[in-house]
Amino acid sequence: MAESTMQKIVSLAKRRGFIFQSSEIYGGLKACYDYGPLGVELKRNIKDAWWRDTVHRREDVVGLDCSIIMHPDVWKASGHLAGFSDPLVDCRNCKERFRADKAPRAEPASKTLYREGGKKDGKKLEGVVGPQGYVCPVCGSGDLSPERQFNLMFRTSLGPVDPMQEILDAVDDIHALDAKARREKLWSIIEQTAVYLRPETAQGMFVNFLNVLNSARMKPPFGIAQCGKSYRNEITTSNLTFRTCEFEQMELEFFVEPGTDEKWYEYWRKTRLDWYTSLGMNPGRLRLRDHDQSELAHYAKACVDIEYFFPFENPQGGGEWGELEGIANRTDYDLKRHAEFTGKELSYFETETKNRYVPYVIEPAAGADRATLAFLCDAYDEEAVDAEKNDVRTVLRFHPRIAPVKVAVFPLVKKDGMPEKAKEVTRELLAEGINSFYDESGAIGRRYRRMDEVGTPWCVTIDTDTLSSGTVTVRERDSMEQSRIPMGGIAQYFRNRLK
Ligand code: GAP
């Protein structure tokens, strides 16, 4: 069977050093990935572009970098301890554990066909879809356990006490207690040291609201931005880095005066959608999807997702809309909750009008790994260069701002001083902060193709004319056109083109 686009992207990502499975030589670890030499550059360029456009190019946004482990009461106030959970279901036939809200839908009481144990050669069985109206995503059985809530936060312990050891030590003592007292005793041991890996970066911005207000002398409307790791013990992980347990977020909390929140919500919807297209993403593969009332989080007045049409495989055919970023009007919920839990006054006093208010928050929350995957998928192209010869080139059409390598430098041949000149050019570009790559191996055509496949926008070739006239050939990735430019000032030439 022919490879799907997604399979080709996954294989290119590994072969060329974008994304590797974590701990691969140990057999890998479910939904954990490492970025290779080109992947780390791509993701870093995307995060840098976000930081530059969200923080550096604006007067009304400042940055923050908070610790991943925060005071455990933060998660009580935010509602994550009580409510940050997904509905978990077990399939009694194949033992798969999955998220009920993501399972394939089916008509309640309709017939369902599946194989015993979910095995290919298992006995054919017939069952009935339960009143919940979904079936197991793996074997199709309707024989499912009741739904139960599964909290997505990773719990760990802080301090020199090992709660597992304490529990083991307490086993004999709790023996005589009744079931309720045993649970309470065990929970009290866990709770003494329990802390959580943050499931979102957002709370760091809320709990530092006063610190930023006072130290940076900001006044609404203003934003606090943060880019960093978040952790969620996801039940269902899929499609390379789309949904993983460890991921990076790029979040902005934008504090505004109540009453102006709807205007700012509209502003950020547009600004954030435009950001993706400004970095070359195909607008035809992007859409805004408004949440309906039943979907809204408890704290949100309105929310919209920016979605990208990923080439994921699914039973309906190739492609699936997936969330890249959510933009929410979080109202004054978070500041009020933290004020309630800490007794601190988390509000803003406007001296001119003598007006004190708790700001509303508009939150554009994006994922760095999802954005990286989307830009990778969006850039992937196969171009028929010569249909008669069946010559097809694979090219990643990255916007130059996010391309991992900006310029590749080649000596035409490995003699006559060309390698020395090419190395000189490479060093000059690197010294100017333009990520460049020197390559002298193989025919020149093959070298171009290798760089096309990793999305390098420009290749520079040093040839005999370089030695006599001091010019080099610049070859464009997308059009494959070539032109000659002077070798002197080459770094400035590419600086201008990167602008
Ligand atoms: N503070 C709001 C918040 O965290 P979210 O929609 O849960 O909102 C924001 O997350 C973004 O973070 C998502 O749009 C997605 O890009 C990314 N994200 C969330 N969970 C993820 C996961 N398990 N793996 C990769 N990215 C994830």
Side-chain angles (χ1 to χ4, degrees), residues 200 232 234 242 244 247 249 251 323-324 363 367 370:
E200 61 172 15
R232 296 181 190 175
E234 298 279 4
F242 182 79
T244 52
F247 54 96
Q249 290 187 305
E251 294 198 288
E323 176 192 333
L324 280 186
E363 176 195 67
R370 285 229 186 135

Side-chain angles (χ1 to χ4, degrees), residues 98-402:
F98 61 91
R99 265 177 75 171
D101 57 336
K102 300 276 177 198
R105 312 316 293 178
E107 198 57 45
S110 60
K111 274 189 192 151
T112 160
L113 297 172
Y114 57 99
R115 289 196 180 261
E116 194 173 40
K119 298 194 180 91
K120 269 195 199 132
D121 54 357
K123 204 167 111 194
K124 281 188 184 162
L125 299 172
E126 191 180 293
V128 178
V129 177
Q132 318 92 320
Y134 55 79
V135 295
C136 171
V138 171
C139 71
S141 165
D143 186 10
L144 311 169
S145 73
E147 285 177 23
R148 59 194 186 282
Q149 291 300 316
F150 174 76
N151 194 295
L152 300 184
M153 281 204 293
F154 279 101
R155 187 170 50 228
T156 183
S157 58
L158 186 69
V161 177
D162 175 3
M164 273 319 287
Q165 190 57 50
E166 297 260 308
I167 287 172
L168 291 174
D169 293 346
V171 164
D172 291 337
D173 304 340
I174 61 173
H175 184 238
L177 302 177
D178 66 23
K180 182 166 177 279
R182 271 205 303 270
R183 273 171 201 273
E184 280 171 5
K185 173 75 183 156
L186 292 179
W187 179 244
S188 74
I189 294 174
I190 294 170
E191 212 183 14
Q192 276 172 45
T193 57
V195 287
Y196 302 85
L197 304 189
R198 67 181 177 196
E200 61 172 15
T201 60
Q203 297 304 323
M205 273 88 92
F206 297 127
V207 302
N208 277 295
F209 171 73
L210 277 188
N211 283 337
V212 174
L213 204 63
N214 297 332
S215 63
R217 294 196 290 126
M218 303 301 285
K219 53 186 273 191
F222 81 96
I224 311 179
Q226 176 166 208
C227 178
K229 291 257 181 175
S230 292
Y231 297 81
R232 296 181 190 175
N233 200 356
E234 298 279 4
I235 300 165
T236 313
T237 51
S238 58
N239 288 317
L240 208 62
T241 49
F242 182 79
R243 190 183 307 284
T244 52
C245 295
E246 175 178 342
F247 54 96
E248 261 181 286
Q249 290 187 305
M250 307 184 291
E251 294 198 288
L252 169 68
E253 307 304 324
F254 200 76
F255 300 91
V256 304
E257 187 175 354
T260 64
D261 51 305
E262 289 179 13
K263 180 187 85 183
W264 281 107
Y265 176 65
E266 290 304 320
Y267 168 86
W268 281 111
R269 285 166 66 108
K270 176 166 174 11
T271 304
R272 290 304 306 148
L273 183 65
D274 289 351
W275 184 76
Y276 292 95
T277 51
S278 77
L279 289 175
M281 199 173 272
N282 179 350
R285 290 184 157 257
L286 280 167
R287 74 173 184 192
L288 287 172
R289 190 184 65 79
D290 285 293
H291 285 207
D292 60 34
Q293 281 299 319
S294 63
E295 230 184 318
L296 284 182
H298 56 282
Y299 51 73
K301 178 172 160 186
C303 187
V304 63
D305 285 345
I306 298 178
E307 295 188 333
Y308 178 76
F309 197 72
F310 286 93
F312 297 154
E313 290 152 65
N314 60 13
Q316 290 78 44
E320 204 172 296
W321 289 101
E323 176 192 333
L324 280 186
E325 170 163 354
I327 299 142
N329 182 342
R330 285 183 84 124
T331 68
D332 53 8
Y333 176 84
D334 300 270
L335 288 179
K336 279 194 170 157
R337 290 283 290 179
H338 289 302
E340 197 185 304
F341 273 69
T342 59
K344 304 274 187 244
E345 176 82 56
L346 301 184
S347 60
Y348 176 72
F349 181 68
E350 193 155 320
T351 28
E352 300 92 70
T353 57
K354 308 269 184 283
N355 181 21
R356 181 174 287 284
Y357 61 84
V358 179
Y360 266 40
V361 172
I362 309 301
E363 176 195 67
D369 304 271
R370 285 229 186 135
T372 304
L373 183 61
F375 278 113
L376 184 63
C377 293
D378 202 63
Y380 185 87
D381 190 22
E382 289 171 20
E383 182 185 351
V385 180
D386 186 335
E388 273 176 26
K389 289 188 190 149
N390 204 15
D391 180 12
V392 176
R393 69 170 181 146
T394 299
V395 48
L396 292 181
R397 300 189 190 276
F398 290 129
H399 187 289
R401 249 176 105 184
I402 60 169

